[in-house]
Amino acid sequence: MTALPVFIDIEASGFGHESYPIEIGVAFSDGNQYSSLIKPAPHWQYWDPQAEMLHGIDRQQLLCDGVSAARVTSELNECLAGQTVYSDAWVVDKPWLDQLFRAGNQDPHFWLSPVELILSEAQMSSWRATRAVLLQTYQGRLHRAGSDALLNQMTWQALHLAA
């Protein structure tokens, strides 16, 4: 049996170029998970109430419960060193991950890749429908980084088993 790929998901303060990462989640191959709220760097000020409604995290919660970018990036480097990690939204997750590592004053010791690189053409076409089926019984909270990373991993697994 093929090992499960590691998935990452990032929630952000908004949807535009001024947004920044506020939560990161990882679903590991062994079934374990990592999730952390991220304390905003002093220059991260943009806040979109629409995004807050989606993920349910307010800025005050980040200021109180968030972890510094330096600590989050150290933890990510420690648990992901040398691995390739996949995202279903690479086009937005990559800039947010880069922003997080700049704020943490570190370089990532892992690679972030789009999930499309490990899917066949048919699997890519079925991704949304398969995810929608899984959502019908999924117990995790959508638009929270750890839950979304796990759901993406489950979607990959369902597509892989169906192939």
Side-chain angles (χ1 to χ4, degrees), residues 3-8 26-32 34 75-87 97 101 108-113 153:
L4 291 173
V6 178
F7 276 84
I8 197 166
V26 179
F28 296 101
S29 297
D30 62 5
N32 287 316
Y34 168 90
E75 290 172 353
L76 289 170
N77 275 338
E78 184 177 322
C79 62
L80 296 173
Q83 296 184 63
T84 299
V85 181
Y86 296 92
S87 166
L97 189 68
F101 272 85
H109 298 163
F110 59 93
W111 296 271
L112 182 65
S113 289
Q153 187 181 61

Side-chain angles (χ1 to χ4, degrees), residues 46-64:
Y46 177 77
W47 193 259
D48 184 339
Q50 297 276 18
E52 181 179 330
M53 284 177 45
L54 189 64
H55 51 60
I57 303 167
D58 65 49
R59 188 168 163 84
Q60 189 59 40
Q61 182 181 1
L62 296 175
L63 295 171
C64 293

Side-chain angles (χ1 to χ4, degrees), residues 18-21 44 94-104:
E18 296 175 318
S19 64
Y20 51 87
W44 292 354
K94 176 67 168 132
W96 288 328
L97 189 68
D98 290 346
Q99 190 177 26
L100 176 64
F101 272 85
R102 277 193 306 277

Side-chain angles (χ1 to χ4, degrees), residues 1-2 16 23-25 37 49 68-69 72 74 80 88 92 101 118 135 142-143:
M1 181 171 163
T2 304
E23 185 181 41
I24 192 159
L37 293 175
S68 72
V72 172
S74 290
L80 296 173
D88 75 322
V92 291
F101 272 85
I118 56 172
L135 274 173
L142 286 182
H143 304 295

